[in-house]
Amino acid sequence: MNIWDKLSSIDRRWIFLAMAIFVSWPVLKPLGLPVTTTKEVESLYSFIDEIEDKKPIILALDYGPSTAPELTPMAKAVIRHAISKGIPVVGVSLAPDAPGVANDIWKWAQEELGAVPGEDIAYLGYKAGTTNVILQMGQGISKAFPKDYYGNSTDDLPIMEGFQSLKDASLVLGLEATAIMDLWIQYAGDQMGVPVAGGMTAVSAPEAYVFYQSGQIVGLMGGMKGGAEYELLVGAPGNAVQGMDAQSLGHIVIIVFIIFGNLGFFLGKKGQDVSRLKSLRGDQK
Amino acid sequence: MILNLIAPFNTTEGLGIWIAAFLTLCIFSFLYKDNPFYKFAEHLFVGVSSGYYISIYYWNTLKPNMIDELTKGFTALGKGDMQKAFGLDESGAVMAEPHLRMLVPLMLGIFILLIFISRKNAWLSRISFAWYIGVASGIAIPTAMSTRVLLQAQGSIRDFCSYNADCAVSAGLEPQVATTALWINAFLLLIGTLSALAYFFFSLPSKGALKVMNKVGIYFLMISFGASFGYTVMARISLLIGRLQFLFYDWLGITIS
């Protein structure tokens, strides 16, 4: 077995160990690698920055703890921005595992930003039915959510004054780990004419870029990088910016192992066997 | 980097952090090899998730939408108020609260369960499925067609129009000053869309111009798969970073100075 064969049959646990070391290191000791902003995130920032009528933003927290490292920094950065501009934020969830995460964010907003519950922020909780809930919200917010997550009557909340239906929102920002983003675009955006933006997990983000290009959404944050960009634009670097160093080193490890794997395959015995097989097939033709 | 006290064990929050840290390490132990700690955490996760979802669906859907409505309906019926029992106000208009009208969806739900209970009466489930598919299709198809097909088709040539002031104004777009880079982008988008569509056109043999289009389409598709792979790697590393931040900052109490 030559070195190339050894490279292509390396024990996967060495890869895990390398990944653990290179991702842990910058988490413990940040390297301060630069993070640049993209126009998709900048346009969302500008859109929120230019909201003048102080109509509420609907923040759809449609994700659970499994994707919180990617999406919670986005939620916090956007809430920080909105509260600093005096724009109220109303949270809803169409994913059943979201309320726990959302409740933590709401507590953070009260403690860290001094947001007043019911006036600056409100969380209406989770409701099953996805499409039906969005359509119901179009008829009336309190029709879909008669009470908020904490048991208060939705209509009695000061934040709801003049905010009867989804159509009165200045923006719907979907923080999504699933295909619910499509539904917000379809029903809130294209059907009701409410501006929609997305904050997607990195896995889902590539599918959402087409909606940004076609103008169906006003902005897009993709994965932890999107959250880091928004944190920088708001001027309050948080967990996402801290995580970007680890992200970069993690990607370098993956790239190096992909190169090693391919070199091992093409220069090793397996690759030579495949080329021999191909040439034999060519001879038969 | 400052190492503070490890999360206190004697508070509710501290205990929660310790349990979460232990379970995280149990799951990570699978990276070395399968073991009883991993199995324990895996089974616990499945059990807790099932319990959580059942509870969420009961308290958020079944109880408020079905049990509470039927209770109110039967209470009104017991008082002899037939109109209120079926969710009608004094003038006979339909109220938002359905009360006993919920018997119809309850019946449709029971019909679906008949598949598992009675083979003889299982055919009744077709009524429920027919209703569900009919309504869902009616709601979804027109908007999906508009969002996914018509507006996307428009989007593929949108840039060309926005570079021309007259066209942009008539189409309601914001006029843009076209630079060489923007023109290249617009052409790439158009060529990518057309060639990827051509790759999935199977009604003609792949020869001549169509073969060239197919080939170009494959390259565009491969680039998009590569982008998706890169984003997937980023997503997975983000989750790892999230767990490490939890272990280092919340559990071990390390603060970055």
Side-chain angles (χ1 to χ4, degrees), chain B residues 105-138:
Chain B
L106 175 66
M107 192 179 66
L108 290 172
I110 291 169
F111 284 175
I112 291 178
L113 293 175
L114 286 175
I115 299 171
F116 310 105
I117 299 165
S118 160
R119 189 176 282 185
K120 190 181 156 195
N121 297 310
W123 63 273
L124 284 166
S125 64
R126 290 177 199 164
I127 299 170
S128 308
F129 283 121
W131 182 87
Y132 182 77
I133 292 167
V135 170
S137 308

Short mmCIF file of all heavy atoms in Angstrom, two decimals, chain B residues 105-138:
data_model
loop_
_atom_site.label_atom_id
_atom_site.label_comp_id
_atom_site.label_asym_id
_atom_site.label_seq_id
_atom_site.Cartn_x
_atom_site.Cartn_y
_atom_site.Cartn_z
N PRO B 105 -65.59 17.74 10.68
CA PRO B 105 -64.17 17.31 10.59
C PRO B 105 -63.85 16.13 11.49
O PRO B 105 -63.01 15.29 11.13
CB PRO B 105 -63.38 18.54 11.01
CG PRO B 105 -64.34 19.54 11.48
CD PRO B 105 -65.69 19.17 11.00
N LEU B 106 -64.55 16.03 12.64
CA LEU B 106 -64.31 14.88 13.51
C LEU B 106 -64.68 13.59 12.78
O LEU B 106 -63.92 12.61 12.80
CB LEU B 106 -65.13 15.01 14.80
CG LEU B 106 -65.06 13.82 15.75
CD1 LEU B 106 -63.66 13.66 16.33
CD2 LEU B 106 -66.07 13.96 16.90
N MET B 107 -65.82 13.64 12.09
CA MET B 107 -66.27 12.46 11.34
C MET B 107 -65.26 12.12 10.22
O MET B 107 -64.90 10.96 10.03
CB MET B 107 -67.63 12.77 10.74
CG MET B 107 -68.38 11.58 10.18
SD MET B 107 -69.95 12.13 9.54
CE MET B 107 -69.46 13.16 8.18
N LEU B 108 -64.79 13.17 9.52
CA LEU B 108 -63.81 12.92 8.44
C LEU B 108 -62.53 12.32 9.01
O LEU B 108 -61.90 11.45 8.39
CB LEU B 108 -63.50 14.23 7.71
CG LEU B 108 -64.64 14.79 6.84
CD1 LEU B 108 -64.28 16.18 6.33
CD2 LEU B 108 -64.95 13.88 5.67
N GLY B 109 -62.13 12.76 10.19
CA GLY B 109 -60.94 12.21 10.85
C GLY B 109 -61.14 10.75 11.22
O GLY B 109 -60.24 9.92 11.01
N ILE B 110 -62.33 10.44 11.75
CA ILE B 110 -62.62 9.05 12.13
C ILE B 110 -62.60 8.16 10.88
O ILE B 110 -62.12 7.03 10.91
CB ILE B 110 -63.97 8.96 12.88
CG1 ILE B 110 -63.83 9.64 14.24
CG2 ILE B 110 -64.42 7.52 13.05
CD1 ILE B 110 -65.13 9.85 14.98
N PHE B 111 -63.12 8.68 9.77
CA PHE B 111 -63.12 7.91 8.51
C PHE B 111 -61.68 7.49 8.15
O PHE B 111 -61.45 6.38 7.69
CB PHE B 111 -63.69 8.74 7.36
CG PHE B 111 -65.20 8.86 7.38
CD1 PHE B 111 -65.86 9.66 6.46
CD2 PHE B 111 -65.95 8.17 8.32
CE1 PHE B 111 -67.24 9.78 6.48
CE2 PHE B 111 -67.34 8.28 8.36
CZ PHE B 111 -67.99 9.09 7.42
N ILE B 112 -60.71 8.41 8.34
CA ILE B 112 -59.32 8.07 8.00
C ILE B 112 -58.82 6.95 8.93
O ILE B 112 -58.17 6.00 8.47
CB ILE B 112 -58.41 9.32 8.10
CG1 ILE B 112 -58.76 10.29 6.98
CG2 ILE B 112 -56.93 8.93 8.00
CD1 ILE B 112 -57.97 11.58 7.00
N LEU B 113 -59.19 7.04 10.19
CA LEU B 113 -58.73 6.02 11.15
C LEU B 113 -59.33 4.64 10.86
O LEU B 113 -58.79 3.62 11.29
CB LEU B 113 -59.06 6.45 12.58
CG LEU B 113 -58.30 7.67 13.09
CD1 LEU B 113 -58.79 8.08 14.45
CD2 LEU B 113 -56.79 7.40 13.14
N LEU B 114 -60.44 4.64 10.11
CA LEU B 114 -61.06 3.35 9.80
C LEU B 114 -60.14 2.44 8.98
O LEU B 114 -60.29 1.22 8.99
CB LEU B 114 -62.38 3.56 9.02
CG LEU B 114 -63.56 4.07 9.85
CD1 LEU B 114 -64.75 4.38 8.97
CD2 LEU B 114 -63.94 3.06 10.91
N ILE B 115 -59.16 3.04 8.29
CA ILE B 115 -58.18 2.24 7.53
C ILE B 115 -57.52 1.23 8.47
O ILE B 115 -57.26 0.09 8.09
CB ILE B 115 -57.09 3.14 6.92
CG1 ILE B 115 -57.70 4.14 5.95
CG2 ILE B 115 -56.03 2.32 6.21
CD1 ILE B 115 -56.71 5.19 5.48
N PHE B 116 -57.24 1.67 9.69
CA PHE B 116 -56.53 0.81 10.64
C PHE B 116 -57.48 -0.03 11.49
O PHE B 116 -57.08 -1.01 12.11
CB PHE B 116 -55.67 1.67 11.57
CG PHE B 116 -54.80 2.65 10.84
CD1 PHE B 116 -55.11 4.00 10.82
CD2 PHE B 116 -53.68 2.22 10.13
CE1 PHE B 116 -54.33 4.90 10.13
CE2 PHE B 116 -52.89 3.12 9.46
CZ PHE B 116 -53.22 4.46 9.45
N ILE B 117 -58.75 0.39 11.55
CA ILE B 117 -59.68 -0.28 12.48
C ILE B 117 -60.56 -1.31 11.78
O ILE B 117 -60.73 -2.43 12.25
CB ILE B 117 -60.58 0.78 13.19
CG1 ILE B 117 -59.70 1.76 13.99
CG2 ILE B 117 -61.59 0.12 14.10
CD1 ILE B 117 -60.42 3.01 14.43
N SER B 118 -61.15 -0.92 10.64
CA SER B 118 -62.13 -1.80 10.00
C SER B 118 -61.88 -1.87 8.49
O SER B 118 -62.05 -0.87 7.79
CB SER B 118 -63.54 -1.26 10.27
OG SER B 118 -64.44 -1.78 9.34
N ARG B 119 -61.47 -3.03 8.04
CA ARG B 119 -61.19 -3.18 6.61
C ARG B 119 -62.48 -3.01 5.79
O ARG B 119 -62.47 -2.47 4.70
CB ARG B 119 -60.58 -4.56 6.37
CG ARG B 119 -60.07 -4.76 4.97
CD ARG B 119 -59.38 -6.06 4.79
NE ARG B 119 -58.03 -6.08 5.32
CZ ARG B 119 -57.20 -7.09 5.19
NH1 ARG B 119 -57.57 -8.17 4.55
NH2 ARG B 119 -55.99 -7.03 5.67
N LYS B 120 -63.60 -3.46 6.38
CA LYS B 120 -64.89 -3.41 5.69
C LYS B 120 -65.31 -1.96 5.40
O LYS B 120 -65.86 -1.66 4.34
CB LYS B 120 -65.94 -4.10 6.57
CG LYS B 120 -67.27 -4.34 5.90
CD LYS B 120 -68.21 -5.00 6.90
CE LYS B 120 -69.67 -4.73 6.52
NZ LYS B 120 -70.56 -5.03 7.63
N ASN B 121 -65.06 -1.09 6.37
CA ASN B 121 -65.50 0.31 6.22
C ASN B 121 -64.37 1.26 5.81
O ASN B 121 -64.56 2.48 5.80
CB ASN B 121 -66.11 0.81 7.53
CG ASN B 121 -67.36 0.02 7.89
OD1 ASN B 121 -68.25 -0.14 7.06
ND2 ASN B 121 -67.40 -0.51 9.10
N ALA B 122 -63.22 0.68 5.46
CA ALA B 122 -62.05 1.52 5.13
C ALA B 122 -62.32 2.43 3.93
O ALA B 122 -61.71 3.50 3.81
CB ALA B 122 -60.84 0.65 4.87
N TRP B 123 -63.25 2.03 3.05
CA TRP B 123 -63.54 2.84 1.86
C TRP B 123 -63.99 4.26 2.21
O TRP B 123 -63.83 5.18 1.43
CB TRP B 123 -64.61 2.15 0.99
CG TRP B 123 -65.94 2.01 1.68
CD1 TRP B 123 -66.36 1.01 2.48
CD2 TRP B 123 -67.03 2.94 1.63
NE1 TRP B 123 -67.63 1.23 2.95
CE2 TRP B 123 -68.07 2.43 2.43
CE3 TRP B 123 -67.24 4.17 0.99
CZ2 TRP B 123 -69.29 3.07 2.61
CZ3 TRP B 123 -68.45 4.82 1.16
CH2 TRP B 123 -69.46 4.26 1.98
N LEU B 124 -64.57 4.41 3.42
CA LEU B 124 -65.05 5.74 3.83
C LEU B 124 -63.90 6.75 3.91
O LEU B 124 -64.12 7.96 3.78
CB LEU B 124 -65.73 5.64 5.20
CG LEU B 124 -67.14 5.04 5.18
CD1 LEU B 124 -67.58 4.68 6.59
CD2 LEU B 124 -68.13 5.99 4.54
N SER B 125 -62.67 6.26 4.12
CA SER B 125 -61.52 7.17 4.21
C SER B 125 -61.31 7.94 2.91
O SER B 125 -60.73 9.03 2.91
CB SER B 125 -60.26 6.39 4.56
OG SER B 125 -59.95 5.50 3.51
N ARG B 126 -61.80 7.36 1.80
CA ARG B 126 -61.63 8.04 0.50
C ARG B 126 -62.35 9.38 0.49
O ARG B 126 -61.91 10.33 -0.16
CB ARG B 126 -62.17 7.17 -0.63
CG ARG B 126 -61.31 5.95 -0.88
CD ARG B 126 -61.91 5.10 -1.95
NE ARG B 126 -61.37 3.74 -1.91
CZ ARG B 126 -61.92 2.71 -2.50
NH1 ARG B 126 -63.03 2.86 -3.19
NH2 ARG B 126 -61.36 1.53 -2.42
N ILE B 127 -63.48 9.45 1.21
CA ILE B 127 -64.22 10.72 1.26
C ILE B 127 -63.34 11.79 1.92
O ILE B 127 -63.22 12.90 1.41
CB ILE B 127 -65.54 10.55 2.08
CG1 ILE B 127 -66.43 9.52 1.40
CG2 ILE B 127 -66.26 11.88 2.24
CD1 ILE B 127 -67.63 9.11 2.24
N SER B 128 -62.71 11.40 3.03
CA SER B 128 -61.84 12.37 3.75
C SER B 128 -60.67 12.78 2.87
O SER B 128 -60.35 13.97 2.77
CB SER B 128 -61.29 11.73 5.03
OG SER B 128 -62.33 11.19 5.77
N PHE B 129 -60.02 11.79 2.26
CA PHE B 129 -58.86 12.11 1.42
C PHE B 129 -59.27 12.96 0.21
O PHE B 129 -58.54 13.88 -0.17
CB PHE B 129 -58.16 10.83 0.95
CG PHE B 129 -57.32 10.20 2.03
CD1 PHE B 129 -57.56 8.91 2.47
CD2 PHE B 129 -56.27 10.91 2.62
CE1 PHE B 129 -56.80 8.34 3.48
CE2 PHE B 129 -55.50 10.35 3.63
CZ PHE B 129 -55.77 9.06 4.06
N ALA B 130 -60.43 12.63 -0.38
CA ALA B 130 -60.89 13.40 -1.55
C ALA B 130 -61.10 14.86 -1.15
O ALA B 130 -60.68 15.78 -1.85
CB ALA B 130 -62.18 12.81 -2.09
N TRP B 131 -61.71 15.07 0.01
CA TRP B 131 -61.97 16.43 0.48
C TRP B 131 -60.65 17.15 0.74
O TRP B 131 -60.43 18.27 0.29
CB TRP B 131 -62.81 16.37 1.77
CG TRP B 131 -63.16 17.72 2.29
CD1 TRP B 131 -64.23 18.48 1.93
CD2 TRP B 131 -62.43 18.49 3.24
NE1 TRP B 131 -64.20 19.68 2.61
CE2 TRP B 131 -63.11 19.71 3.41
CE3 TRP B 131 -61.26 18.27 3.96
CZ2 TRP B 131 -62.66 20.70 4.28
CZ3 TRP B 131 -60.82 19.26 4.83
CH2 TRP B 131 -61.52 20.45 4.98
N TYR B 132 -59.75 16.44 1.43
CA TYR B 132 -58.47 17.06 1.81
C TYR B 132 -57.64 17.43 0.58
O TYR B 132 -57.14 18.55 0.46
CB TYR B 132 -57.69 16.10 2.72
CG TYR B 132 -56.40 16.68 3.21
CD1 TYR B 132 -56.38 17.61 4.24
CD2 TYR B 132 -55.18 16.33 2.62
CE1 TYR B 132 -55.20 18.17 4.68
CE2 TYR B 132 -54.00 16.90 3.05
CZ TYR B 132 -54.02 17.81 4.09
OH TYR B 132 -52.85 18.37 4.52
N ILE B 133 -57.55 16.46 -0.34
CA ILE B 133 -56.72 16.70 -1.53
C ILE B 133 -57.34 17.81 -2.38
O ILE B 133 -56.65 18.68 -2.90
CB ILE B 133 -56.53 15.40 -2.34
CG1 ILE B 133 -55.66 14.42 -1.54
CG2 ILE B 133 -55.90 15.67 -3.71
CD1 ILE B 133 -55.64 13.01 -2.08
N GLY B 134 -58.68 17.78 -2.47
CA GLY B 134 -59.37 18.80 -3.27
C GLY B 134 -59.12 20.20 -2.73
O GLY B 134 -58.71 21.10 -3.47
N VAL B 135 -59.32 20.36 -1.44
CA VAL B 135 -59.14 21.70 -0.83
C VAL B 135 -57.67 22.13 -0.89
O VAL B 135 -57.35 23.25 -1.31
CB VAL B 135 -59.63 21.69 0.64
CG1 VAL B 135 -59.24 22.98 1.35
CG2 VAL B 135 -61.14 21.52 0.69
N ALA B 136 -56.78 21.19 -0.53
CA ALA B 136 -55.35 21.54 -0.51
C ALA B 136 -54.86 21.92 -1.91
O ALA B 136 -54.11 22.89 -2.07
CB ALA B 136 -54.53 20.37 0.05
N SER B 137 -55.30 21.16 -2.91
CA SER B 137 -54.87 21.47 -4.28
C SER B 137 -55.42 22.82 -4.72
O SER B 137 -54.73 23.62 -5.35
CB SER B 137 -55.35 20.40 -5.26
OG SER B 137 -54.99 19.14 -4.81
N GLY B 138 -56.68 23.05 -4.38
CA GLY B 138 -57.32 24.31 -4.77
C GLY B 138 -56.59 25.51 -4.18
O GLY B 138 -56.43 26.54 -4.83
#
